[in-house]
Amino acid sequence: MPLPYRKLTALMTRYNGSNLLIDCGEGTQVAVKEKGWSFHPIDVICFTHYHADHISGLPGLLLTMGNAERTEPLLMIGPKGLERVVNALRMIAPELPFPIRFHELSQKEETIRVCGYKITAFRVQHNVTCYGYTLEIERKGRFDVERAQAADIPQKFWNRLQHGETIRDSGRTLTPDMVLGPPRRGIKVTYCTDTRPTPLIAESAKHADLFICEGMYAEKDKEAKARQYKHMTFYEAASLAARAEVSELWLTHFSPSLMHAENYMRDVQKIFPNASPGTDGRTLELDFMEF
């Protein structure tokens, strides 16, 4: 539940002039405004599931986006039933100046490419159908001048090939792999909440730059409750982070009864040293790494 010092669930990522939102709990609009960010360039909203604490802020957000004179389509991604749930919530926001496109997930894993993102949705284990999301910004290999020259590729085509275009020239087919080196490490963020630990979570988060994972309970005597309600403890999340060999773990989605999450971090960091509790408004800038 929302508390005076703790808002409900939402993550915003910003890349290349486009914003993506995962979940939209009550108070998301306020959180975005407090950050000084804008609603207008939100092009994609992903939903983990349809419990109220993950979607109750949506009608107000849609109205605000409409009042900002947005006309571009908005893509929504989520488990089966997405269109029905959103249209029911839109009873109080029936007229919008922009269309909504729906992508309903049905497979154990699905990949969608949009706005420069590779979005991989993976099913997790909650008491309703629920998905985690891995967001990746892929990076092409370096342009190799020597390979281009050795293949006798005219220089006028280099830029187009570097940007992924396939070209027909004098009976030859020129492809990007003829001038590019192997793909370089990109950027990867995995977001997972409302679930028990599963092997697929660790597989999906493998080598992520940032792993944002639920830690509903920190108290050692709440392990049985976590199993009962299909949630995780801090320590289970840390074990997943260690298994996935991520760079950094942020814990989130705390129980309303959990106070002072930072007091439990010493034990968490024994399992995964680079772990910390998430806080409202926390941000991190990720950039491509050079090797």
Side-chain angles (χ1 to χ4, degrees):
M1 66 181 69
L3 299 172
Y5 51 88
R6 187 187 298 164
K7 296 182 175 66
L8 290 184
T9 304
L11 165 72
M12 182 179 280
T13 64
R14 307 199 299 169
Y15 170 69
N16 201 26
S18 177
N19 291 359
L20 177 148
L21 196 66
I22 300 182
D23 285 341
C24 189
E26 183 180 342
T28 296
Q29 285 194 81
V30 176
V32 173
K33 281 292 186 184
E34 286 178 350
K35 199 68 190 173
W37 290 354
S38 168
F39 306 103
H40 189 73
I42 297 176
D43 296 311
V44 185
I45 304 179
C46 304
F47 294 100
T48 56
H49 62 300
Y50 307 129
H51 281 160
D53 56 320
H54 294 258
I55 198 171
S56 57
L58 181 64
L61 177 66
L62 292 176
L63 284 169
T64 297
M65 292 169 69
N67 290 336
E69 300 181 350
R70 178 201 181 94
T71 57
E72 299 84 3
L74 171 65
L75 173 64
M76 292 190 183
I77 301 170
K80 279 185 178 180
L82 173 63
E83 186 169 1
R84 173 180 53 81
V85 171
V86 171
N87 285 339
L89 290 170
R90 281 191 59 197
M91 291 294 290
I92 59 172
E95 295 182 13
L96 296 172
F98 56 88
I100 298 176
R101 295 187 290 116
F102 297 97
H103 181 107
E104 297 198 356
L105 303 166
S106 58
Q107 305 301 314
K108 183 179 179 181
E109 288 183 88
E110 291 189 38
T111 297
I112 305 102
R113 296 178 186 272
V114 61
C115 299
Y117 291 99
K118 177 186 174 185
I119 304 170
T120 302
F122 54 94
R123 195 175 296 163
V124 296
Q125 186 185 352
H126 193 37
N127 52 23
V128 298
T129 302
C130 185
Y131 282 82
Y133 291 92
T134 288
L135 311 176
E136 293 178 87
I137 308 296
E138 296 178 305
R139 195 180 189 197
K140 299 184 181 74
R142 293 184 185 277
F143 186 85
D144 191 327
V145 173
E146 291 183 359
R147 287 183 65 196
Q149 292 173 336
D152 198 25
I153 297 175
Q155 192 169 345
K156 64 182 179 180
F157 296 136
W158 289 6
N159 186 61
R160 291 165 62 187
L161 290 168
Q162 187 175 9
H163 286 86
E165 191 174 340
T166 297
I167 299 168
R168 288 283 299 172
D169 176 57
S170 303
R172 281 204 307 167
T173 300
L174 308 178
T175 57
D177 61 279
M178 297 171 70
V179 298
L180 297 179
R184 289 171 286 175
R185 177 182 168 86
I187 296 171
K188 181 174 180 178
V189 174
T190 296
Y191 179 94
C192 180
T193 183
D194 289 58
T195 178
R196 294 295 299 149
T198 70
L200 185 55
I201 298 172
E203 293 169 19
S204 300
K206 192 71 174 178
H207 297 146
D209 298 284
L210 176 62
F211 180 33
I212 302 173
C213 187
E214 80 141 289
M216 187 78 167
Y217 305 107
E219 307 91 331
K220 294 293 179 67
D221 61 352
K222 295 288 182 68
E223 291 179 10
K225 196 169 186 179
R227 287 192 293 271
Q228 179 183 356
Y229 292 105
K230 299 292 193 295
H231 283 288
M232 267 193 264
T233 67
F234 278 22
Y235 317 101
E236 289 171 322
S239 295
L240 282 175
R243 198 179 319 157
E245 300 177 277
V246 304
S247 298
E248 187 170 355
L249 167 67
W250 291 1
L251 294 164
T252 188
H253 201 273
F254 306 146
S255 164
S257 65
L258 175 61
M259 304 296 174
H260 305 295
E262 65 277 5
N263 293 346
Y264 299 90
M265 295 313 298
R266 180 174 295 180
D267 287 340
V268 172
Q269 289 166 354
K270 291 177 183 177
I271 303 169
F272 184 76
N274 201 17
S276 57
T279 55
D280 288 334
R282 185 174 184 180
T283 56
L284 176 67
E285 185 170 334
L286 297 172
D287 207 344
F288 294 118
M289 298 175 66
E290 297 293 344
F291 294 98

